[in-house]
Structures are given as C-alpha cells and as structure tokens.
Amino acid sequence: MTDAMEALFLHAQEHLVRPLLDEEPEFSSVVSCLDRQEKSFRALLDEEIETRFDKYLSEQTLFNLLNERAVFCAGFRLALELFC
C-alpha cells in the first residue's frame, strides 16, 4: 500500500466506516449479541484458557485488519481502472 493509500485507508477507518456501519439496520443488535456471547463464553473459561482465547482474538483482529486493507486496496484499484 502506498503512503497515499495508507493515509486514505486511515481516514476511511477513522471517519467513514462507523457511519456506514450505523446505516446497517442490524449492526447495533449484532454488536450487542457479540458482547453478550463473549461475556457468557468468558464466564466458562479458566485463567489459562482465557489467556489463550485473548491471544486468538488478537490474531483474529490482525487478520481482520489485513483483510480490510486488502479489500480497500482492491476497491482502490477497481476505482482506478474504472476512471483511467
């Protein structure tokens, strides 16, 4: 990702993504459901398993970020192809 694309990606993450998600009717209920499920699941875990679960979630978060960056780059490239 070029420096310009990185700047655009960060701007989109900080200022555009959340308003777009808020337009999705089911977004807030999905977030609430995920929070409840995570709390319920964590109540079943001992300390060692919870630590392993946290490590898994960290890797999942990194995977999601890399996926978001790839999708952004793909969209950017498509836009360039359409307008060039």
Side-chain angles (χ1 to χ4, degrees):
M1 191 179 291
T2 66
D3 288 343
M5 287 173 66
E6 182 72 27
L8 290 170
F9 176 75
L10 292 174
H11 175 78
Q13 272 194 317
E14 292 172 8
H15 302 285
L16 303 173
V17 171
R18 184 55 191 248
L20 289 169
L21 287 171
D22 288 338
E23 291 177 11
E24 295 291 333
E26 64 274 356
F27 177 70
S28 64
S29 64
V30 168
V31 170
S32 295
C33 184
L34 284 171
D35 287 343
R36 284 192 309 275
Q37 289 182 9
E38 182 178 343
K39 287 176 186 172
S40 176
F41 182 71
R42 284 183 182 277
L44 303 171
L45 305 178
D46 64 29
E47 191 174 318
E48 178 186 343
I49 300 299
E50 187 170 16
T51 299
R52 291 176 66 190
F53 181 60
D54 286 337
K55 288 179 183 178
Y56 166 80
L57 289 178
S58 292
E59 290 298 317
Q60 186 68 43
T61 299
L62 177 58
F63 172 81
N64 290 338
L65 174 63
L66 294 173
N67 190 60
E68 288 173 5
R69 290 170 57 94
V71 169
F72 179 83
C73 286
F76 199 88
R77 288 180 184 170
L78 286 171
L80 287 175
E81 286 179 23
L82 291 171
F83 291 106
C84 290

